[in-house]
Amino acid sequence: MSDKIWLSSPHMGGTELNYVNDAFKSNWIAPLGPNVNHFETAIEEFVGEDIHVACLSSGTAAIHLALELLDVKRNDEVLCQSFTFSASANPITYLGANPIFIDSEADTWNLSPELLEEAILDRMRLGKKPKAIIAVHLYGMPYKVNEVSAISKKYGIPIVEDSAEALGSSYKGIQCGSFGDIGILSFNGNKIITTSGGGALLSKNQNIKEKAIFKATQARDCAPHYEHSQIGYNYRMSNVLAGIGRGQMEVLNDRINARRENFLYYNHHLSDFHELSFLNELDESHSNRWLTCILTQSFETREEIRLALQNHNIESRPLWKPMHSQPIFENCSAYKNGVSEELFEKGLCLPSGSNLDRNDLDRICEIIKNVLR
Ligand SMILES: *Cc1c(COP(=O)(O)O)cnc(C)c1O
């Protein structure tokens, strides 16, 4: 059996262990410390836009805190992109609020601005203005920032920008993560860079960063003893793991280039097959191409390709199953147009790690071509 090819595996750069060793040498084995501060500064410099970054234990924790900082409470409604990973939506329920799912548009696969506005008007007609919008740059492809931001402003509903998959993507030359009232990143093992597990909350408002850190460290009021006037969480990032993050930031641009190269390779070598299509960038958007996805003509072809790859020890995965089709969310309201259901039926994520080599990509393309011939 040939070596396993993973969908998206961790790719260390070399200096990560030095920073982890620093943590050991200085005994900063805690959910704070110099690596955390340096990692935050490195992200702030990369994203630019005077962004303030708080590193946390996961992207999911960052979304949870973001919604709480935007004052989402029990029985509130939160609009959420339906075509996404469940972690975009789960934190809505942690607060006792209700997700309202919005379908995607065909040209970015993200939140449809038309359906978003329709949903807002409909919820307002029903007597309830939504408290927040969760918009996702799925697979690294930016959503239509201008359109979605305009709707957010028009109705005064803040945006949580889920950039978990989009570190290094940009829209009109501005980095993703900086567009929402609050942005979030993930450093889970499969993301473009990783700390094995981790996340970050981003905001142009320094006060939001400080409040996030306060809540993420058990909401301890200023006193010599432990005094609490709010409920807190244990959501800060470990100084040991932030050491991995510091090393990963040094190779982030290489990782983005490698993933974009993967996309170009697949696109070039599979473009003769008219039954396959790829998601193209719009003029104003630049994707980190976290995962390369293909669309086939039918569920059957999608499955044939997936199973052929599996038989050769190669991992691929159907596109995200929309949240409005998930059993756990079946009772939630959803504004649908059929786009995400079709993407789920016909789409496949191909191996996309920055550590794939030409041989790997060649093997994968040959298998796909054999299915389609
Ligand atoms: C990975 C991911 C998250 C969650 O991040 P974790 O760090 O794994 O908690 C949220 N949203 C999207 C779109 C993701 O891909």
Side-chain angles (χ1 to χ4, degrees):
M1 197 63 153
S2 317
D3 285 347
K4 173 98 183 178
I5 297 180
W6 299 97
L7 190 70
S8 177
S9 68
H11 186 186
M12 294 297 107
T15 61
E16 291 86 357
L17 262 182
N18 300 345
Y19 297 116
V20 171
N21 274 327
D22 287 348
F24 275 70
K25 277 186 230 137
S26 56
N27 206 31
W28 276 105
I29 313 292
L32 80 169
N35 279 339
V36 176
N37 300 339
H38 280 111
F39 186 30
E40 288 175 346
T41 306
I43 301 166
E44 286 168 355
E45 282 168 4
F46 182 87
V47 173
E49 305 303 314
D50 292 324
I51 205 83
H52 299 277
V53 174
C55 282
L56 301 172
S57 53
S58 71
T60 312
I63 296 172
H64 185 190
L65 286 185
L67 293 172
E68 197 172 294
L69 290 169
L70 295 174
D71 203 34
V72 172
K73 297 212 162 67
R74 185 161 299 279
N75 296 324
D76 282 342
E77 293 187 344
V78 174
L79 303 168
C80 182
Q81 184 165 322
S82 188
F83 188 52
T84 186
F85 177 45
S86 64
S88 302
N90 283 338
I92 301 168
T93 69
Y94 303 169
L95 293 163
N98 301 315
I100 308 282
F101 293 111
I102 315 285
D103 216 324
S104 287
E105 52 172 5
D107 49 356
T108 66
W109 296 3
N110 293 313
L111 205 57
S112 155
E114 287 75 28
L115 275 185
L116 175 65
E117 185 157 25
E118 187 185 315
I120 292 172
L121 291 171
D122 197 46
R123 300 326 288 180
M124 284 167 47
R125 221 173 287 130
L126 293 169
K128 218 161 187 171
K129 185 169 145 183
K131 289 292 277 287
I133 299 163
I134 301 177
V136 189
H137 307 293
L138 210 64
Y139 302 116
M141 184 62 72
Y143 62 79
K144 285 199 186 135
V145 174
N146 269 10
E147 285 83 345
V148 172
S149 297
I151 294 169
S152 152
K153 278 208 187 70
K154 182 170 173 190
Y155 297 97
I157 306 174
I159 295 176
V160 175
E161 181 195 0
D162 182 343
S163 293
E165 303 176 358
L167 178 60
S169 298
S170 58
Y171 181 88
K172 297 196 168 170
I174 296 172
Q175 290 293 320
C176 289
S178 67
F179 294 113
D181 295 81
I182 300 181
I184 75 100
L185 297 171
S186 167
F187 309 113
N188 197 27
N190 57 351
K191 298 292 171 20
I192 193 147
I193 60 166
T194 183
T195 58
S196 81
L201 183 147
L202 291 71
S203 176
K204 288 182 182 160
N205 181 341
Q206 186 166 8
N207 201 19
I208 296 256
K209 168 178 173 169
E210 277 157 19
K211 280 188 185 163
I213 292 176
F214 172 77
K215 281 183 181 287
T217 50
Q218 309 286 23
R220 294 201 304 264
D221 294 337
C222 190
H225 59 278
Y226 276 22
E227 176 85 5
H228 303 279
S229 50
Q230 284 183 49
I231 293 293
Y233 304 94
N234 185 3
Y235 275 174
R236 196 74 162 121
M237 179 179 277
S238 155
N239 191 60
V240 179
L241 300 187
I244 305 176
R246 282 181 79 181
Q248 289 270 278
M249 283 307 287
E250 294 172 5
V251 291
L252 174 55
N253 282 319
D254 298 339
R255 300 298 180 257
I256 297 164
N257 291 337
R259 296 218 183 217
R260 286 182 61 85
E261 285 295 322
N262 290 339
F263 173 84
L264 289 175
Y265 192 93
Y266 284 127
N267 192 275
H268 180 70
H269 287 83
L270 298 171
S271 60
D272 286 346
F273 296 90
H274 297 295
E275 51 270 68
L276 291 189
S277 64
F278 292 82
L279 179 61
N280 293 316
E281 290 169 321
L282 304 176
D283 287 342
E284 62 271 28
S285 62
H286 182 87
S287 170
N288 67 8
R289 294 290 183 188
W290 173 57
L291 296 184
T292 293
C293 309
I294 50 171
L295 274 188
T296 65
Q297 298 283 340
S298 68
F299 172 77
E300 288 71 26
T301 312
R302 197 282 302 279
E303 277 303 274
E304 264 184 79
I305 295 174
R306 187 181 69 80
L307 293 170
L309 291 170
Q310 190 179 78
N311 286 338
H312 289 85
N313 212 15
I314 297 168
E315 186 185 28
S316 67
R317 190 173 301 148
L319 300 190
W320 300 119
K321 181 174 182 179
M323 290 306 114
H324 69 256
S325 308
Q326 296 285 359
I328 188 66
F329 293 125
E330 69 185 0
N331 294 323
C332 297
S333 302
Y335 294 80
K336 297 180 280 189
N337 56 15
V339 169
S340 61
E341 285 170 29
E342 189 177 344
L343 291 170
F344 172 58
E345 192 180 293
K346 300 178 180 169
L348 191 68
C349 303
L350 300 179
S352 301
S354 45
N355 46 10
L356 296 178
D357 62 27
R358 280 290 148 102
N359 280 337
D360 297 328
L361 292 169
D362 217 36
R363 245 176 85 197
I364 297 161
C365 286
E366 281 311 307
I367 293 164
I368 297 173
K369 285 180 189 171
N370 274 330
V371 171
L372 295 174
R373 262 177 206 135

